[in-house]
Amino acid sequence: MVKVTFIEHSGTQHTVEAKPGDSLMQTAQNHSIPGIDADCGGACACATCHVFVADEWIARLPPVSGNEDAMLDVVEERRRGSRLSCQLHADASLDGIVVSLPASQR
Amino acid sequence: MSAEPIEETMRAFDHTAPAQMNDPYAMYEAFRTRCPVGRSGQHGGFFVVSRYESVKKVFEDYSTFSSTQGVGIPPHPYQMFPIDLDPPLQTKFRRVLNRRFTPEAVATKRDEIQRVIDALIDDFIETGSADLAAQLVRPLLPRIVLPLLGVPSEARQQMSEWIEYMTRGRATDMPGVIKAGEDITMFLGGLVARRRSAPPVDDVLGAMLEAQIDGRPFSDDEILRTLLIILFGGLDTTSAVMLESLLHLARHPQDKERLKSGATPWSLAIEELVRYTSPIQGLRRTVTQDTRIEGQDLKAGDWVFGLHGSANRDEAVFERAAQCVLERQPNPHVAFGSGAHICLGRNLARLEIEILLKTVLERFGDYEVAADFAPEYLVGEARGMKSLPVRFVPAQRSAWLDAKRRFTAEDTSSRP
Ligand code: HEM
Ligand code: FES
């Protein structure tokens, strides 16, 4: 199991177990964590699953693909650490990752 | 049909042909099992994709299956936004529109929807019979969607006629469709121009006038093409589900009872009624780069028609797929689409359907459909019942009902 911590915009923290292979978006949905809309269901096509990855984790993630980069350009408040959570898949190397959520995905 | 080789059936496939689409489900099953990707020779030729997994792939992989060449067959003469765009441009429109259509945002329309439904029912409830398509469902939806968009209600009748023409006439009267399109765009263009110089109003048009895209305001043309699809998208589709649901409940009294008693949650029932109806039977994408699906090679420029109506009956995903099982859960149907273009109005549609069905059950829940009634459908990308004649015990107009509702202060939670 892989531990993932989601921090809502309000500051509420949720530390949950992700199934290896699941995306962080799916993990959030499986645990009913509010704040990730994920309208497109993980097709990297809606930009409503935006998260901010904590600094120390940024470099440990797979690179941003062309599609993800284009979608991230659409979100409000893109910054260092901005990723689409449907494009990040849980595996042992991400055990302990911390991501926080923007004020709104809409 | 089984006598004919499947390739023949496939070559003749035409979603605009009433003879095929009045009841297309046996044909779809044959496609799924014997020809999951085939080629129709109609309308210039196009590939037809029928299995759930492949339909999802077509609608999710927008880099390979693009919407920018249009999503109808035959092509719609008028480009609309965001439906005829791909991400990321499409996403920029959705960011402005989505917040007007969240469950919370549409819930604020609940009282207004209730009022419109009650008023339409008042017009026939004392007579004991009605065509629920002509007298309730079709007049209802423009009364809700037009004010939400910002189109004045005086224009309602004219708008409804234009829309009817544009959605139905493409296969038969293209010049007429183009004329109706010109009329409607003239009208909406004038409206947008007037609103630019008027004080801001809290509706979809108002939101677009205030919003920015790529650091500049939306153009009149962009706004108009957006208003158009919201208009088109929300009428035939929602009315199809309402009518199919009303017919289903008339024929399945035990389902009606379970809804009335609360044994079946409305949220589950509505998803199932939407899956079972699948008002959008299929939509087109255009291949951008050579690819392969279910072993079939596709070339850049090919048209692909993904069948939502077939995907939603795929036994690989839905047990007893041909049956309407109101408590079905999970229900990963694709009736609202899948991927980037997932229906903007889905929360509004769910709310409208819920209020309509609840109100009918409350006010004339004993309605009956003749035993020999055989539904006929308007067909095309969207498929919906033409008429639904019913009889019921005449009841009173709604003045007394308002009072009763105030006392019972029912639950108003509508979240699916
Ligand atoms: C049960 C009712 C409805 C069904 C089954 C339905 C179905 C669909 C489907 C399948 C799509 C995807 C189109 C594509 O992939 O190209 C779609 C998109 C859309 N729908 Fe609906 N719809 C319904 C109700 C509504 C309502 C009530 C509205 C608005 C008032 C609406 C507005 C739209 C718009 C604007 C789009 C385009 C979204 C985009 O391209 O990003 N729909 N709908
Ligand atoms: S869920 Fe749509 S982009 Fe991630």
Side-chain angles (χ1 to χ4, degrees), chain A residues 15-48:
Chain A
T15 299
V16 299
E17 301 272 1
K19 273 209 291 293
D22 272 6
S23 71
L24 298 195
M25 178 279 278
Q26 271 162 335
T27 305
Q29 300 223 317
N30 291 345
H31 292 88
S32 307
I33 293 166
I36 293 185
D37 292 358
D39 284 350
C40 78
C44 195
C46 72
T48 66

PDB file of all heavy atoms in Angstrom, chain A residues 15-48:
ATOM      1  N   THR A  15      -5.057  11.469   5.191  1.00  0.00           N
ATOM      2  CA  THR A  15      -4.010  10.528   4.787  1.00  0.00           C
ATOM      3  C   THR A  15      -4.678   9.187   4.528  1.00  0.00           C
ATOM      4  O   THR A  15      -5.371   8.654   5.403  1.00  0.00           O
ATOM      5  CB  THR A  15      -2.925  10.422   5.867  1.00  0.00           C
ATOM      6  OG1 THR A  15      -2.346  11.724   6.018  1.00  0.00           O
ATOM      7  CG2 THR A  15      -1.833   9.442   5.457  1.00  0.00           C
ATOM      8  N   VAL A  16      -4.521   8.696   3.306  1.00  0.00           N
ATOM      9  CA  VAL A  16      -5.240   7.487   2.902  1.00  0.00           C
ATOM     10  C   VAL A  16      -4.280   6.519   2.220  1.00  0.00           C
ATOM     11  O   VAL A  16      -3.183   6.897   1.810  1.00  0.00           O
ATOM     12  CB  VAL A  16      -6.414   7.816   1.946  1.00  0.00           C
ATOM     13  CG1 VAL A  16      -7.420   8.732   2.628  1.00  0.00           C
ATOM     14  CG2 VAL A  16      -5.918   8.444   0.651  1.00  0.00           C
ATOM     15  N   GLU A  17      -4.733   5.280   2.101  1.00  0.00           N
ATOM     16  CA  GLU A  17      -3.952   4.261   1.401  1.00  0.00           C
ATOM     17  C   GLU A  17      -4.396   4.215  -0.051  1.00  0.00           C
ATOM     18  O   GLU A  17      -5.576   4.089  -0.323  1.00  0.00           O
ATOM     19  CB  GLU A  17      -4.228   2.886   2.024  1.00  0.00           C
ATOM     20  CG  GLU A  17      -3.888   2.777   3.492  1.00  0.00           C
ATOM     21  CD  GLU A  17      -2.432   2.363   3.718  1.00  0.00           C
ATOM     22  OE1 GLU A  17      -1.715   2.195   2.707  1.00  0.00           O
ATOM     23  OE2 GLU A  17      -2.031   2.226   4.881  1.00  0.00           O
ATOM     24  N   ALA A  18      -3.438   4.310  -0.949  1.00  0.00           N
ATOM     25  CA  ALA A  18      -3.771   4.185  -2.369  1.00  0.00           C
ATOM     26  C   ALA A  18      -3.444   2.778  -2.844  1.00  0.00           C
ATOM     27  O   ALA A  18      -2.450   2.196  -2.408  1.00  0.00           O
ATOM     28  CB  ALA A  18      -2.967   5.184  -3.180  1.00  0.00           C
ATOM     29  N   LYS A  19      -4.298   2.249  -3.731  1.00  0.00           N
ATOM     30  CA  LYS A  19      -3.976   0.957  -4.341  1.00  0.00           C
ATOM     31  C   LYS A  19      -2.903   1.181  -5.395  1.00  0.00           C
ATOM     32  O   LYS A  19      -3.049   2.088  -6.231  1.00  0.00           O
ATOM     33  CB  LYS A  19      -5.214   0.387  -5.033  1.00  0.00           C
ATOM     34  CG  LYS A  19      -6.093  -0.425  -4.121  1.00  0.00           C
ATOM     35  CD  LYS A  19      -6.868  -1.512  -4.868  1.00  0.00           C
ATOM     36  CE  LYS A  19      -7.948  -1.067  -5.793  1.00  0.00           C
ATOM     37  NZ  LYS A  19      -9.146  -0.463  -5.490  1.00  0.00           N
ATOM     38  N   PRO A  20      -1.830   0.398  -5.382  1.00  0.00           N
ATOM     39  CA  PRO A  20      -0.799   0.582  -6.412  1.00  0.00           C
ATOM     40  C   PRO A  20      -1.436   0.540  -7.796  1.00  0.00           C
ATOM     41  O   PRO A  20      -2.306  -0.297  -8.053  1.00  0.00           O
ATOM     42  CB  PRO A  20       0.129  -0.618  -6.196  1.00  0.00           C
ATOM     43  CG  PRO A  20      -0.074  -1.015  -4.766  1.00  0.00           C
ATOM     44  CD  PRO A  20      -1.509  -0.691  -4.455  1.00  0.00           C
ATOM     45  N   GLY A  21      -1.049   1.475  -8.642  1.00  0.00           N
ATOM     46  CA  GLY A  21      -1.602   1.528  -9.997  1.00  0.00           C
ATOM     47  C   GLY A  21      -2.735   2.530 -10.119  1.00  0.00           C
ATOM     48  O   GLY A  21      -2.952   3.092 -11.188  1.00  0.00           O
ATOM     49  N   ASP A  22      -3.473   2.762  -9.037  1.00  0.00           N
ATOM     50  CA  ASP A  22      -4.541   3.773  -9.096  1.00  0.00           C
ATOM     51  C   ASP A  22      -3.919   5.164  -9.251  1.00  0.00           C
ATOM     52  O   ASP A  22      -2.839   5.426  -8.724  1.00  0.00           O
ATOM     53  CB  ASP A  22      -5.354   3.771  -7.793  1.00  0.00           C
ATOM     54  CG  ASP A  22      -6.511   2.786  -7.830  1.00  0.00           C
ATOM     55  OD1 ASP A  22      -6.604   2.033  -8.826  1.00  0.00           O
ATOM     56  OD2 ASP A  22      -7.297   2.766  -6.865  1.00  0.00           O
ATOM     57  N   SER A  23      -4.628   6.038  -9.928  1.00  0.00           N
ATOM     58  CA  SER A  23      -4.145   7.416  -9.979  1.00  0.00           C
ATOM     59  C   SER A  23      -4.484   8.105  -8.660  1.00  0.00           C
ATOM     60  O   SER A  23      -5.358   7.644  -7.914  1.00  0.00           O
ATOM     61  CB  SER A  23      -4.796   8.154 -11.141  1.00  0.00           C
ATOM     62  OG  SER A  23      -6.155   8.375 -10.860  1.00  0.00           O
ATOM     63  N   LEU A  24      -3.810   9.215  -8.398  1.00  0.00           N
ATOM     64  CA  LEU A  24      -4.139   9.960  -7.178  1.00  0.00           C
ATOM     65  C   LEU A  24      -5.566  10.488  -7.275  1.00  0.00           C
ATOM     66  O   LEU A  24      -6.271  10.604  -6.266  1.00  0.00           O
ATOM     67  CB  LEU A  24      -3.151  11.105  -6.948  1.00  0.00           C
ATOM     68  CG  LEU A  24      -1.680  10.729  -6.729  1.00  0.00           C
ATOM     69  CD1 LEU A  24      -0.915  11.921  -6.155  1.00  0.00           C
ATOM     70  CD2 LEU A  24      -1.505   9.508  -5.839  1.00  0.00           C
ATOM     71  N   MET A  25      -6.018  10.818  -8.476  1.00  0.00           N
ATOM     72  CA  MET A  25      -7.405  11.262  -8.656  1.00  0.00           C
ATOM     73  C   MET A  25      -8.372  10.157  -8.215  1.00  0.00           C
ATOM     74  O   MET A  25      -9.288  10.394  -7.423  1.00  0.00           O
ATOM     75  CB  MET A  25      -7.610  11.649 -10.131  1.00  0.00           C
ATOM     76  CG  MET A  25      -9.005  12.086 -10.510  1.00  0.00           C
ATOM     77  SD  MET A  25     -10.155  10.728 -10.812  1.00  0.00           S
ATOM     78  CE  MET A  25      -9.766  10.274 -12.496  1.00  0.00           C
ATOM     79  N   GLN A  26      -8.144   8.925  -8.716  1.00  0.00           N
ATOM     80  CA  GLN A  26      -9.016   7.802  -8.319  1.00  0.00           C
ATOM     81  C   GLN A  26      -8.958   7.582  -6.818  1.00  0.00           C
ATOM     82  O   GLN A  26      -9.978   7.315  -6.176  1.00  0.00           O
ATOM     83  CB  GLN A  26      -8.547   6.504  -8.993  1.00  0.00           C
ATOM     84  CG  GLN A  26      -9.160   6.268 -10.331  1.00  0.00           C
ATOM     85  CD  GLN A  26      -8.349   5.233 -11.113  1.00  0.00           C
ATOM     86  OE1 GLN A  26      -7.150   5.027 -10.889  1.00  0.00           O
ATOM     87  NE2 GLN A  26      -9.025   4.591 -12.031  1.00  0.00           N
ATOM     88  N   THR A  27      -7.762   7.698  -6.265  1.00  0.00           N
ATOM     89  CA  THR A  27      -7.587   7.486  -4.832  1.00  0.00           C
ATOM     90  C   THR A  27      -8.441   8.485  -4.054  1.00  0.00           C
ATOM     91  O   THR A  27      -9.155   8.115  -3.119  1.00  0.00           O
ATOM     92  CB  THR A  27      -6.101   7.644  -4.456  1.00  0.00           C
ATOM     93  OG1 THR A  27      -5.347   6.749  -5.279  1.00  0.00           O
ATOM     94  CG2 THR A  27      -5.862   7.337  -2.999  1.00  0.00           C
ATOM     95  N   ALA A  28      -8.398   9.745  -4.480  1.00  0.00           N
ATOM     96  CA  ALA A  28      -9.197  10.767  -3.799  1.00  0.00           C
ATOM     97  C   ALA A  28     -10.685  10.430  -3.915  1.00  0.00           C
ATOM     98  O   ALA A  28     -11.444  10.544  -2.947  1.00  0.00           O
ATOM     99  CB  ALA A  28      -8.915  12.143  -4.391  1.00  0.00           C
ATOM    100  N   GLN A  29     -11.091   9.996  -5.100  1.00  0.00           N
ATOM    101  CA  GLN A  29     -12.509   9.682  -5.280  1.00  0.00           C
ATOM    102  C   GLN A  29     -12.911   8.462  -4.465  1.00  0.00           C
ATOM    103  O   GLN A  29     -13.976   8.453  -3.843  1.00  0.00           O
ATOM    104  CB  GLN A  29     -12.801   9.468  -6.759  1.00  0.00           C
ATOM    105  CG  GLN A  29     -12.466  10.724  -7.562  1.00  0.00           C
ATOM    106  CD  GLN A  29     -13.511  11.059  -8.586  1.00  0.00           C
ATOM    107  OE1 GLN A  29     -14.013  10.184  -9.281  1.00  0.00           O
ATOM    108  NE2 GLN A  29     -13.853  12.329  -8.697  1.00  0.00           N
ATOM    109  N   ASN A  30     -12.055   7.438  -4.441  1.00  0.00           N
ATOM    110  CA  ASN A  30     -12.364   6.241  -3.656  1.00  0.00           C
ATOM    111  C   ASN A  30     -12.568   6.578  -2.186  1.00  0.00           C
ATOM    112  O   ASN A  30     -13.321   5.909  -1.491  1.00  0.00           O
ATOM    113  CB  ASN A  30     -11.229   5.209  -3.756  1.00  0.00           C
ATOM    114  CG  ASN A  30     -11.141   4.605  -5.141  1.00  0.00           C
ATOM    115  OD1 ASN A  30     -12.073   4.734  -5.934  1.00  0.00           O
ATOM    116  ND2 ASN A  30     -10.021   3.969  -5.452  1.00  0.00           N
ATOM    117  N   HIS A  31     -11.873   7.614  -1.723  1.00  0.00           N
ATOM    118  CA  HIS A  31     -11.978   7.977  -0.313  1.00  0.00           C
ATOM    119  C   HIS A  31     -12.877   9.201  -0.096  1.00  0.00           C
ATOM    120  O   HIS A  31     -12.848   9.808   0.963  1.00  0.00           O
ATOM    121  CB  HIS A  31     -10.587   8.222   0.279  1.00  0.00           C
ATOM    122  CG  HIS A  31      -9.757   6.966   0.365  1.00  0.00           C
ATOM    123  ND1 HIS A  31      -8.966   6.523  -0.677  1.00  0.00           N
ATOM    124  CD2 HIS A  31      -9.637   6.037   1.338  1.00  0.00           C
ATOM    125  CE1 HIS A  31      -8.383   5.385  -0.327  1.00  0.00           C
ATOM    126  NE2 HIS A  31      -8.773   5.064   0.886  1.00  0.00           N
ATOM    127  N   SER A  32     -13.657   9.556  -1.115  1.00  0.00           N
ATOM    128  CA  SER A  32     -14.610  10.680  -1.023  1.00  0.00           C
ATOM    129  C   SER A  32     -13.963  11.956  -0.494  1.00  0.00           C
ATOM    130  O   SER A  32     -14.539  12.653   0.331  1.00  0.00           O
ATOM    131  CB  SER A  32     -15.798  10.327  -0.122  1.00  0.00           C
ATOM    132  OG  SER A  32     -16.382   9.135  -0.540  1.00  0.00           O
ATOM    133  N   ILE A  33     -12.760  12.238  -0.971  1.00  0.00           N
ATOM    134  CA  ILE A  33     -12.109  13.478  -0.565  1.00  0.00           C
ATOM    135  C   ILE A  33     -12.633  14.602  -1.462  1.00  0.00           C
ATOM    136  O   ILE A  33     -12.556  14.500  -2.687  1.00  0.00           O
ATOM    137  CB  ILE A  33     -10.580  13.331  -0.681  1.00  0.00           C
ATOM    138  CG1 ILE A  33     -10.111  12.319   0.368  1.00  0.00           C
ATOM    139  CG2 ILE A  33      -9.877  14.680  -0.510  1.00  0.00           C
ATOM    140  CD1 ILE A  33      -8.711  11.822   0.171  1.00  0.00           C
ATOM    141  N   PRO A  34     -13.223  15.642  -0.855  1.00  0.00           N
ATOM    142  CA  PRO A  34     -13.813  16.696  -1.685  1.00  0.00           C
ATOM    143  C   PRO A  34     -12.732  17.565  -2.332  1.00  0.00           C
ATOM    144  O   PRO A  34     -11.606  17.627  -1.837  1.00  0.00           O
ATOM    145  CB  PRO A  34     -14.631  17.514  -0.686  1.00  0.00           C
ATOM    146  CG  PRO A  34     -13.989  17.274   0.633  1.00  0.00           C
ATOM    147  CD  PRO A  34     -13.343  15.920   0.590  1.00  0.00           C
ATOM    148  N   GLY A  35     -13.073  18.201  -3.450  1.00  0.00           N
ATOM    149  CA  GLY A  35     -12.166  19.187  -4.025  1.00  0.00           C
ATOM    150  C   GLY A  35     -11.486  18.738  -5.300  1.00  0.00           C
ATOM    151  O   GLY A  35     -10.744  19.496  -5.911  1.00  0.00           O
ATOM    152  N   ILE A  36     -11.740  17.483  -5.722  1.00  0.00           N
ATOM    153  CA  ILE A  36     -11.216  17.029  -7.019  1.00  0.00           C
ATOM    154  C   ILE A  36     -12.429  16.610  -7.842  1.00  0.00           C
ATOM    155  O   ILE A  36     -13.081  15.619  -7.531  1.00  0.00           O
ATOM    156  CB  ILE A  36     -10.215  15.859  -6.846  1.00  0.00           C
ATOM    157  CG1 ILE A  36      -8.959  16.375  -6.140  1.00  0.00           C
ATOM    158  CG2 ILE A  36      -9.869  15.241  -8.193  1.00  0.00           C
ATOM    159  CD1 ILE A  36      -7.838  15.368  -6.006  1.00  0.00           C
ATOM    160  N   ASP A  37     -12.767  17.400  -8.853  1.00  0.00           N
ATOM    161  CA  ASP A  37     -13.990  17.116  -9.612  1.00  0.00           C
ATOM    162  C   ASP A  37     -13.787  15.979 -10.613  1.00  0.00           C
ATOM    163  O   ASP A  37     -14.619  15.110 -10.764  1.00  0.00           O
ATOM    164  CB  ASP A  37     -14.475  18.363 -10.353  1.00  0.00           C
ATOM    165  CG  ASP A  37     -14.976  19.427  -9.376  1.00  0.00           C
ATOM    166  OD1 ASP A  37     -14.970  19.150  -8.170  1.00  0.00           O
ATOM    167  OD2 ASP A  37     -15.358  20.520  -9.825  1.00  0.00           O
ATOM    168  N   ALA A  38     -12.681  16.033 -11.356  1.00  0.00           N
ATOM    169  CA  ALA A  38     -12.346  14.961 -12.302  1.00  0.00           C
ATOM    170  C   ALA A  38     -13.461  14.686 -13.303  1.00  0.00           C
ATOM    171  O   ALA A  38     -13.833  13.538 -13.524  1.00  0.00           O
ATOM    172  CB  ALA A  38     -11.967  13.692 -11.542  1.00  0.00           C
ATOM    173  N   ASP A  39     -13.968  15.727 -13.919  1.00  0.00           N
ATOM    174  CA  ASP A  39     -15.087  15.590 -14.851  1.00  0.00           C
ATOM    175  C   ASP A  39     -14.831  14.566 -15.964  1.00  0.00           C
ATOM    176  O   ASP A  39     -15.728  13.850 -16.366  1.00  0.00           O
ATOM    177  CB  ASP A  39     -15.382  16.945 -15.527  1.00  0.00           C
ATOM    178  CG  ASP A  39     -16.122  17.897 -14.594  1.00  0.00           C
ATOM    179  OD1 ASP A  39     -16.560  17.449 -13.512  1.00  0.00           O
ATOM    180  OD2 ASP A  39     -16.249  19.085 -14.952  1.00  0.00           O
ATOM    181  N   CYS A  40     -13.609  14.537 -16.491  1.00  0.00           N
ATOM    182  CA  CYS A  40     -13.374  13.697 -17.678  1.00  0.00           C
ATOM    183  C   CYS A  40     -13.028  12.265 -17.303  1.00  0.00           C
ATOM    184  O   CYS A  40     -12.760  11.450 -18.176  1.00  0.00           O
ATOM    185  CB  CYS A  40     -12.305  14.300 -18.575  1.00  0.00           C
ATOM    186  SG  CYS A  40     -10.626  14.027 -17.982  1.00  0.00           S
ATOM    187  N   GLY A  41     -13.008  11.979 -16.008  1.00  0.00           N
ATOM    188  CA  GLY A  41     -12.791  10.610 -15.579  1.00  0.00           C
ATOM    189  C   GLY A  41     -11.355  10.133 -15.737  1.00  0.00           C
ATOM    190  O   GLY A  41     -11.106   8.930 -15.748  1.00  0.00           O
ATOM    191  N   GLY A  42     -10.434  11.049 -15.895  1.00  0.00           N
ATOM    192  CA  GLY A  42      -9.028  10.647 -15.935  1.00  0.00           C
ATOM    193  C   GLY A  42      -8.409  10.624 -17.316  1.00  0.00           C
ATOM    194  O   GLY A  42      -7.333  10.061 -17.514  1.00  0.00           O
ATOM    195  N   ALA A  43      -9.069  11.241 -18.281  1.00  0.00           N
ATOM    196  CA  ALA A  43      -8.573  11.229 -19.664  1.00  0.00           C
ATOM    197  C   ALA A  43      -7.601  12.374 -19.940  1.00  0.00           C
ATOM    198  O   ALA A  43      -7.250  12.606 -21.091  1.00  0.00           O
ATOM    199  CB  ALA A  43      -9.745  11.280 -20.635  1.00  0.00           C
ATOM    200  N   CYS A  44      -7.181  13.080 -18.916  1.00  0.00           N
ATOM    201  CA  CYS A  44      -6.282  14.228 -19.086  1.00  0.00           C
ATOM    202  C   CYS A  44      -6.912  15.242 -20.037  1.00  0.00           C
ATOM    203  O   CYS A  44      -6.280  15.752 -20.952  1.00  0.00           O
ATOM    204  CB  CYS A  44      -4.917  13.780 -19.615  1.00  0.00           C
ATOM    205  SG  CYS A  44      -3.646  15.055 -19.438  1.00  0.00           S
ATOM    206  N   ALA A  45      -8.200  15.491 -19.834  1.00  0.00           N
ATOM    207  CA  ALA A  45      -8.934  16.282 -20.815  1.00  0.00           C
ATOM    208  C   ALA A  45      -9.840  17.338 -20.192  1.00  0.00           C
ATOM    209  O   ALA A  45     -10.611  17.967 -20.900  1.00  0.00           O
ATOM    210  CB  ALA A  45      -9.779  15.347 -21.685  1.00  0.00           C
ATOM    211  N   CYS A  46      -9.758  17.544 -18.865  1.00  0.00           N
ATOM    212  CA  CYS A  46     -10.683  18.519 -18.279  1.00  0.00           C
ATOM    213  C   CYS A  46     -10.012  19.488 -17.312  1.00  0.00           C
ATOM    214  O   CYS A  46     -10.571  20.533 -17.004  1.00  0.00           O
ATOM    215  CB  CYS A  46     -11.835  17.811 -17.574  1.00  0.00           C
ATOM    216  SG  CYS A  46     -11.351  16.992 -16.034  1.00  0.00           S
ATOM    217  N   ALA A  47      -8.854  19.132 -16.798  1.00  0.00           N
ATOM    218  CA  ALA A  47      -8.125  19.986 -15.857  1.00  0.00           C
ATOM    219  C   ALA A  47      -8.932  20.283 -14.589  1.00  0.00           C
ATOM    220  O   ALA A  47      -8.758  21.330 -13.989  1.00  0.00           O
ATOM    221  CB  ALA A  47      -7.678  21.296 -16.531  1.00  0.00           C
ATOM    222  N   THR A  48      -9.814  19.376 -14.168  1.00  0.00           N
ATOM    223  CA  THR A  48     -10.520  19.593 -12.907  1.00  0.00           C
ATOM    224  C   THR A  48     -10.032  18.622 -11.833  1.00  0.00           C
ATOM    225  O   THR A  48     -10.763  18.285 -10.899  1.00  0.00           O
ATOM    226  CB  THR A  48     -12.057  19.485 -13.056  1.00  0.00           C
ATOM    227  OG1 THR A  48     -12.401  18.132 -13.388  1.00  0.00           O
ATOM    228  CG2 THR A  48     -12.591  20.419 -14.108  1.00  0.00           C
TER     229      THR A  48
END
